[in-house]
Amino acid sequence: MNHTPSHWLRPSEAVRELMRKGAEIAQTLPQAWIERLDQALFASPEDAKLLDDPVVLAACRRVNRAELLHWANANLQRPGEPVEPYVSADLVDTARELARRGLPELLMNIARSTQNAAWESWMQMAFSLTHDPVLLEEFLKVSLRSISEFIDSNMRVVSQILLKEKSLHPHEDAVDKRSLVTRLLDGRDVDTEQFGKRLGYSLFQKHRAWLVWSEVADTETQHLEALARALAHLTGTAAPLIVFAGPATLWVWTHAAKPLDLYRLQSVARQFPNMRTAIGSQGAGVNGFRQSHLEALTTQQLMGRLAGAPAVATIDQVRMVSLMTQDARAARQFVVNTLGRLTTEPSIFQRSLHAFLANGCHITQTAEALGTHRNTLLRRLERAQQLLPVPLADHRIQIAAALELLIWDTPLIDDEKLSRRRAGA
C-alpha cells in the first residue's frame, strides 16, 4: 500500500537508505540528543518559569522521547515518507493543563523548540552519513519537511481534541473546585464564608498547604488522594481540602492543629512509591491559605531540581538548602571538608547519621524513625564517625548542614548494588 500523498515526492533510493540509517541511530535515543531535547524545554524565560512544575516538566520530557521514537520507527519502516501523527496521553494531558492555565500558546512554543533541537541533532548526524553535497542537500530537505510536518500534524490533532472538549463542556470551569480555589489564590476579593461553604472547608482556621504529585506516567489519581488523606490524618485533619490541580498533581490544605512530625510523614510516604509531597508553613485565614500554598510550590520546584530531594519536604528545609546552594562550588567544598570520606560511602551511613542528629542524638528515637534495630544503627553510626575528618561532638551543626546538602544533591541508590559494584571493581 502506498502511504505517500500526491504532494509528497518520493525521495531517491540513496536518500531513503540514509533516512533508514539515521532512524536506526535516532532509535537508540543518543544521550546528546536527549540532553538537547530536554534543554529545549527552557528555550525562553516564560517556558522555564512554567516548567518549574516537575509534573509538567516530566511529562514534556516523556513526550519528547516518545515522539522521537515514533518518528524514527516510522522512517525505519518507510524512510522518507510522511509520518502519521502521534498524540500520546502525556501530550493531551499537558495541553489540557496549559489551556487551564490560560497558556495554550506555550504548547506550540515547546513544540517548536523541540523541533529545532531535534533538527540540530539530526543535521549534525547527517554530515557523518555522507559527504556527497548533492545527496546531502536532498537528504536535509526531505528530513526537514518530514520533521516539520510531523510536529505540525501532532499540534493539529491536539488542537482538535481541545476544541471538541471545550464544546462538550462549555460551563465546566465555572463550577470546578479548582476554579474556586484559583480565585482565592489570585488574591481576588471573595466572600470568605460563602467560599468556605462551597469548598466544604473553613477558611477562617489555621492552614497548612501541601502539594502531592508524581512524575511517573499513568499515576492513578486515587493513589495520590490516598497519600494526601494519610498525611492529613497525621496532622489531625479528618476532612482536608483536596483539589485536582492537573496531571498527577493535587493541591491540599489541612488544619494546622498540631506540629509536623517529618519522620512519621516520611514513613507514610514510603508506602506510596514514586509520589512526592511539598509542604508550606502554617498560616491563618485567607492570607495564610495563599501564602502556605506559594511556599509549597517553592518547595516543589526545588525538589524537582535536586536529585536527592526526599519524598516529603517542607519549606523550612528548602529555605536552608536554597541558601546553602547559591554558590555551588563553595557548597561542595564545604561538604567535602566537613564529611571527608563519608561523602563517598553508601548513603545508608550518611542518612543514619543525619537522622541521628535530626532526632537530637537519641538512639532509640532514631532507630524507631528509621525502622532499624538499635544495634544496627549503633554500628552504622560508629562507622560514619570513623569516616569523619572532625569529631562529631565538636561539629554537630556543621556536620548536620553538610549532610543535609549531600543528601538533597545525591540520588538515593540501592546500597546493596553499590556494595556489589565495589566488590567487583
Side-chain angles (χ1 to χ4, degrees):
M1 179 177 178
N2 184 12
H3 296 268
T4 306
S6 57
H7 74 278
W8 191 289
L9 297 177
R10 182 182 176 89
S12 67
E13 288 304 316
V15 165
R16 285 170 58 82
E17 182 57 29
L18 288 181
M19 293 291 291
R20 185 179 288 110
K21 288 181 178 179
E24 288 177 351
I25 295 173
Q27 255 196 334
T28 66
L29 292 178
Q31 185 60 34
W33 292 36
I34 294 303
E35 290 175 0
R36 184 172 280 161
L37 286 172
D38 288 348
Q39 194 60 38
L41 297 173
F42 303 93
S44 73
E46 293 78 15
D47 298 351
K49 184 177 180 180
L50 173 64
L51 295 171
D52 269 341
D53 183 329
V55 177
V56 175
L57 179 58
C60 287
R61 285 173 172 162
R62 291 195 300 268
V63 166
N64 281 349
R65 288 158 174 74
E67 289 188 345
L68 176 59
L69 282 174
H70 177 83
W71 185 85
N73 289 335
N75 274 283
L76 198 61
Q77 301 299 321
R78 298 186 301 276
E81 296 182 21
V83 177
E84 292 294 320
Y86 176 73
V87 178
S88 64
D90 275 324
L91 180 53
V92 175
D93 287 344
T94 301
R96 288 184 182 128
E97 177 61 15
L98 296 181
R100 278 196 291 263
R101 298 187 189 190
L103 296 167
E105 73 285 350
L106 199 54
L107 185 66
M108 186 60 71
N109 293 347
I110 293 171
R112 291 300 171 217
S113 298
T114 299
Q115 177 183 326
N116 292 338
W119 172 243
E120 287 177 13
S121 295
W122 184 263
M123 185 170 55
Q124 188 176 28
M125 176 208 64
F127 290 95
S128 69
L129 295 179
T130 181
H131 297 290
D132 183 327
V134 176
L135 188 59
L136 184 61
E137 181 181 6
E138 182 189 358
F139 175 64
L140 291 177
K141 284 182 178 178
V142 171
S143 301
L144 181 59
R145 179 179 60 184
S146 178
I147 293 172
S148 299
E149 295 211 9
F150 172 62
I151 296 294
D152 287 345
S153 63
N154 283 349
M155 291 300 101
R156 283 194 295 269
V157 173
V158 171
S159 297
Q160 290 167 2
I161 291 173
L162 294 182
L163 285 173
K164 184 177 181 180
E165 289 181 350
K166 187 174 182 180
S167 66
L168 291 174
H169 309 285
H171 305 298
E172 185 176 2
D173 286 345
V175 295
D176 183 59
K177 187 184 287 187
R178 172 173 169 169
S179 299
L180 294 175
V181 170
T182 299
R183 290 183 64 184
L184 286 171
L185 297 175
D186 286 347
R188 304 180 206 177
D189 291 330
V190 298
D191 184 328
T192 304
E193 185 173 357
Q194 185 62 30
F195 259 63
K197 289 180 179 178
R198 294 178 69 183
L199 292 170
Y201 177 86
S202 173
L203 296 171
F204 294 103
Q205 62 185 329
K206 290 182 179 180
H207 321 275
R208 194 181 302 276
W210 313 60
L211 264 69
V212 179
W213 79 98
S214 174
E215 297 164 28
V216 176
D218 302 323
T219 299
E220 295 187 11
T221 306
Q222 61 262 36
H223 294 160
L224 290 169
E225 187 173 5
L227 171 58
R229 293 191 182 282
L231 295 175
H233 179 72
L234 289 182
T235 70
T237 304
L241 172 59
I242 299 177
V243 178
F244 297 89
T249 303
L250 302 181
W251 293 344
V252 183
W253 284 265
T254 64
H255 177 42
K258 53 200 239 185
L260 295 177
D261 185 332
L262 194 54
Y263 278 97
R264 287 189 69 197
L265 294 176
Q266 290 169 341
S267 177
V268 169
R270 281 194 287 271
Q271 302 170 31
F272 297 83
N274 301 319
M275 299 184 199
R276 312 183 77 186
T277 304
I279 310 171
S281 61
Q282 176 181 295
V286 173
N287 287 336
F289 184 92
R290 294 169 180 148
Q291 183 60 36
S292 187
H293 178 72
L294 291 174
E295 291 174 347
L297 285 172
T298 299
T299 305
Q300 182 197 40
Q301 290 166 8
L302 188 62
M303 291 172 71
R305 289 197 296 269
L306 293 180
V312 178
T314 67
I315 184 63
D316 291 331
Q317 292 174 292
V318 162
R319 286 191 183 110
M320 182 176 71
V321 173
S322 180
L323 283 172
M324 290 193 296
T325 55
Q326 287 183 5
D327 185 334
R329 180 178 296 179
R332 180 60 186 166
Q333 195 60 50
F334 168 70
V335 169
V336 172
N337 290 346
T338 306
L339 301 181
R341 290 185 295 154
L342 183 57
T343 60
T344 59
E345 286 297 302
S347 63
I348 192 65
F349 297 109
Q350 303 158 6
R351 293 173 186 272
S352 295
L353 182 56
H354 179 265
F356 176 64
L357 293 170
N359 281 278
C361 299
H362 295 297
I363 290 291
T364 302
Q365 186 174 325
T366 304
E368 290 176 356
L370 294 176
T372 303
H373 192 278
R374 191 175 187 276
N375 291 341
T376 301
L377 176 62
L378 285 170
R379 288 195 296 271
R380 290 174 181 169
L381 292 176
E382 182 180 4
R383 174 60 178 162
Q385 291 185 68
Q386 291 172 353
L387 297 166
L388 290 172
V390 294
L392 176 62
D394 299 333
H395 299 83
R396 289 179 183 175
I397 294 176
Q398 297 95 319
I399 290 169
L403 285 168
E404 189 82 12
L405 275 173
L406 179 63
I407 289 170
W408 273 72
D409 202 35
T410 305
L412 180 59
I413 64 174
D414 187 278
D415 289 309
E416 290 183 5
K417 291 181 181 177
L418 180 60
S419 298
R420 289 196 298 268
R421 190 185 311 158
R422 287 183 171 180

